[in-house]
Amino acid sequence: MAKNTLSSRFRKVDIDEFDENKFVDDHDEAADQQGPDAVEIDRDMMAALHIALRNPPINSKNPAIKERAQAAVLRVLTSFKSSDIEPAVKSLDKNGVDLLMKYIYKGFERPTENSSAILLQWHEKAFAVGGLGSIVRVMTARKTV
Amino acid sequence: MSYHSFLLEPISCHAWNKDRTQIALCPNNHEVHIYKKDGNNWSKIHVLKEHNGQVTGIDWAPESNRIVTCGTDRNAYVWTLKGDVWKPTLVILRINRAARCVKWSPKENKFAVGSGSRLISVCYFEQDNDWWVCKHIKKPIRSTILCLDWHPNNILLAAGSCDFKCRIFSAYIKEVEEKPAPTAWGSKMPFGEVMFESTGTSGWVHGVCFSDSGNRVAWASHDSTVAVAEGGKTAVCASLTSETLPLLCVTFITENSLVAAGHDCYPVLFVYDSNKAAMSFGGKLDVPKQSAQKGMTARERFQNLDKKATTDSKEAVLESVHKNSISQISILNGGKAQCAKFCTTGMDGGMAIWDVKTLESAMKDLKIV
């Protein structure tokens, strides 16, 4: 047997890191994107939604910031009454609807007992306004929320 | 508005001859078929067999009557009509991945091929060696080039790529042409120089088009947006996100209006307002079919609710002319300044010819500026 079958350290090397043709995204500095301020959220629901959707941590590479933002938005979304969802979505502009879709899909990734049903209701209303285009933009965006 | 179904397979690409009596298309295989129009029918008059891989791009030069084709076999051929037969000439592109799109320049002395090798091959004919030679534009392209369009000055080339950017390059070849005059995109144009690079849209750029004057460039990208950039001291970009599926091809029909089509199977009009630097949705350009409204019985209603969780009575049948995605759009009459007719081909193997005047009168709110 050949000598080099003894060591299998080569299996732990990530060959893609050394690929010279590897595509690297443009770096946009994260600056102050800290995600929405969790404290202000408890009051008026409509305002809460707008606050939650402000300052999305899109350029940030810090997973903690993204988690916090996602948790804050999810809290707002689940505390809405079903009948209030439609006017809330109507009050958002185009970019807001796209951003809301991104958070909704992020929420789908980690379902809890109640979240999926509420998120599906939000999804239906957001889809009525944003259409298939907003979903396509969630799928194709390089910078996720 | 007329529709002709050529095949059951997708039409990969098509090109028209100068007087629009013949169309060359690729029926999703290694060949190119040329059809001639006689009366209301189309008859196949030539079959061009030389490629070893699917033909991904065809362009027919109107003045010199030459056809250039490129395919996944990494080759391009220039076809000339000798008597009654099309004779191919191989062009060595020096690429190691498939070629994706090809376009003759306006003066027809060069053509550009976009490929998966992350570069554009600009080919010109060298008289001394009686041979097509190519030069590569590599930087800063980082992924496959999906679409190309030439500026009317024969020098600038717009390229849409899978690295989410639309760029304008200079393809100035000093062996075949004079130094160009300054344009809205810049004045220094050495070969391979990037005159403009888009920002703001993400998603693969599927279709790109210069306007008739060359001062504007429009591109459609996979995140369901269409954008127009206007050259100047600082390039002004305007983009529009849409609620539909991504668009695959786009073309200017006047200096301010664009028609685009894609996965939604119908062409759409967009209008660009340069004063506000904004784009707006002009309308859906499909002929609506009057679908009979049947009443639903209570039984059907509950069945629908059970099967599809919806009480909608809409059937899952496309009402558009094309029954599958439209992949290419080409201008037939009038040029990009005053287009009178344009043609679309798609994955349903059909070709539709659209008349702008009839569309304008059929759709009440449509205004083509």
Side-chain angles (χ1 to χ4, degrees):
Chain A
M1 287 273 275
K3 251 200 308 200
N4 61 4
T5 55
L6 287 174
S7 163
S8 56
R9 223 176 49 178
F10 67 91
R11 297 189 188 279
K12 300 205 177 77
V13 171
D14 180 8
I15 191 72
D16 289 327
E17 287 297 314
F18 299 106
D19 182 7
E20 30 195 53
N21 291 338
K22 183 174 171 193
F23 183 85
V24 184
D25 270 310
D26 297 330
H27 283 299
D28 279 333
E29 280 321 308
D32 275 332
Q33 292 191 332
Q34 299 299 322
D37 192 353
V39 176
E40 297 177 28
I41 280 179
D42 281 322
R43 272 152 274 157
D44 174 25
M45 282 285 108
M46 205 61 117
L49 181 65
H50 285 264
I51 294 176
L53 290 179
R54 233 192 286 154
N55 251 348
I58 284 190
N59 283 331
S60 160
K61 300 226 173 50
N62 187 340
I65 295 184
K66 297 199 180 219
E67 280 298 325
R68 248 193 16 211
Q70 175 64 23
V73 174
L74 203 51
R75 238 177 64 206
V76 177
L77 296 184
T78 44
S79 43
F80 258 76
K81 274 202 308 246
S82 307
S83 47
D84 290 338
I85 295 184
E86 191 163 345
V89 172
K90 288 236 162 66
S91 74
L92 294 171
D93 63 343
K94 265 200 168 173
N95 288 339
V97 174
D98 285 347
L99 191 54
L100 177 64
M101 263 304 190
K102 283 195 182 157
Y103 276 115
I104 292 175
Y105 274 91
K106 192 100 196 279
F108 281 145
E109 284 171 33
R110 308 252 200 90
T112 63
E113 295 108 33
N114 295 328
S115 69
S116 294
I118 272 281
L119 282 177
L120 278 172
Q121 284 185 329
W122 275 97
H123 185 276
E124 188 192 344
K125 300 289 182 257
F127 174 68
V129 178
L132 290 162
S134 61
I135 300 183
V136 172
R137 274 183 285 284
V138 174
M139 303 284 145
T140 57
R142 301 285 298 179
K143 305 195 176 113
T144 52
V145 90
Chain B
M1 218 266 346
S2 63
Y3 179 80
H4 182 261
S5 172
F6 276 104
L7 337 133
L8 290 173
E9 298 241 305
I11 294 181
S12 317
C13 45
H14 76 269
W16 289 90
N17 70 344
K18 179 172 182 182
D19 53 9
R20 311 314 192 199
T21 52
Q22 295 184 22
I23 181 172
L25 50 85
C26 170
N28 204 35
N29 59 14
H30 304 340
E31 306 169 346
V32 174
H33 294 185
I34 301 187
Y35 284 82
K36 188 179 169 122
K37 189 171 175 69
D38 58 307
N40 267 337
N41 293 326
W42 293 86
S43 50
K44 193 189 316 193
I45 52 172
H46 291 116
V47 175
L48 275 48
K49 285 193 230 239
E50 196 76 20
H51 277 283
N52 281 327
Q54 192 199 15
V55 180
T56 49
I58 306 181
D59 201 15
W60 200 322
E63 303 303 323
S64 51
N65 204 35
R66 287 176 297 184
I67 299 180
V68 63
T69 57
C70 72
T72 56
D73 58 353
R74 315 187 306 268
N75 288 333
Y77 290 93
V78 174
W79 303 79
T80 28
L81 189 62
K82 298 244 164 57
D84 204 24
V85 184
W86 286 93
K87 289 261 186 298
T89 310
L90 173 66
V91 178
I92 307 276
L93 297 171
R94 295 185 282 130
I95 54 181
N96 53 11
R97 293 287 185 279
R100 279 298 254 110
C101 49
V102 64
K103 272 276 166 78
W104 281 109
S105 70
K107 295 213 181 86
E108 296 166 23
N109 50 4
K110 313 185 276 194
F111 61 88
V113 181
S115 67
S117 306
R118 306 129 57 99
L119 50 81
I120 304 174
S121 300
V122 180
C123 309
Y124 59 98
F125 194 67
E126 211 168 62
Q127 275 303 130
D128 319 328
N129 296 338
D130 196 24
W131 183 239
W132 287 90
V133 172
C134 76
K135 278 199 174 166
H136 285 170
I137 300 178
K138 274 204 198 157
K139 295 205 165 51
I141 303 172
R142 291 151 81 201
S143 190
T144 306
I145 297 285
L146 287 178
C147 49
L148 294 167
D149 194 33
W150 286 91
H151 187 283
N153 73 356
N154 211 55
I155 308 285
L156 297 178
L157 181 63
S161 160
C162 277
D163 62 1
F164 323 121
K165 299 221 181 288
C166 164
R167 297 184 181 90
I168 298 183
F169 290 99
S170 159
Y172 166 63
I173 307 260
K174 60 182 193 299
E175 284 87 346
V176 298
E177 55 204 347
E178 306 279 306
K179 253 198 160 145
T183 67
W185 301 100
S187 35
K188 281 209 164 304
M189 290 179 249
F191 181 80
E193 177 89 356
V194 180
M195 313 300 289
F196 167 74
E197 189 173 86
S198 72
T199 48
T201 51
S202 51
W204 307 317
V205 179
H206 285 294
V208 73
C209 183
F210 266 113
S211 69
D212 187 60
S213 63
N215 292 332
R216 298 187 185 156
V217 69
W219 66 95
S221 77
H222 199 73
D223 59 349
S224 294
T225 55
V226 181
V228 172
E230 184 145 18
K233 285 244 169 45
T234 43
V236 178
C237 260
S239 68
L240 182 67
T241 54
S242 73
E243 284 88 45
T244 55
L245 291 176
L247 297 158
L248 290 176
C249 46
V250 65
T251 182
F252 274 93
I253 51 169
T254 66
E255 192 71 17
N256 295 318
S257 311
L258 311 136
V259 168
H263 289 292
D264 268 318
C265 319
Y266 51 77
V268 178
L269 175 75
F270 292 99
V271 180
Y272 175 68
D273 185 340
S274 53
N275 298 328
K276 292 191 259 173
M279 286 194 45
S280 56
F281 176 68
K284 192 170 131 167
L285 292 178
D286 207 1
V287 182
K289 243 196 305 196
Q290 304 303 336
S291 52
Q293 282 292 5
K294 299 183 312 176
M296 278 242 286
T297 65
R299 188 152 196 269
E300 279 171 15
R301 216 178 266 279
F302 278 112
Q303 265 187 338
N304 250 357
L305 199 54
D306 188 38
K307 264 195 275 186
K308 298 186 231 171
T310 169
T311 43
D312 267 330
S313 61
K314 242 195 328 207
E315 291 172 8
V317 171
L318 266 183
E319 288 179 356
S320 55
V321 169
H322 275 282
K323 297 302 175 198
N324 206 328
S325 317
I326 295 177
S327 54
Q328 194 178 340
I329 189 170
S330 56
I331 305 263
L332 287 181
N333 290 338
K336 287 191 215 165
Q338 280 295 128
C339 174
K341 280 199 189 167
F342 60 89
C343 157
T344 51
T345 56
M347 308 261 283
D348 57 349
M351 171 204 64
I353 298 185
W354 308 79
D355 186 306
V356 170
K357 282 268 164 315
T358 3
L359 285 171
E360 240 183 320
S361 50
M363 323 265 142
K364 287 156 291 181
D365 304 319
L366 210 64
K367 254 203 308 214
I368 300 184
V369 235

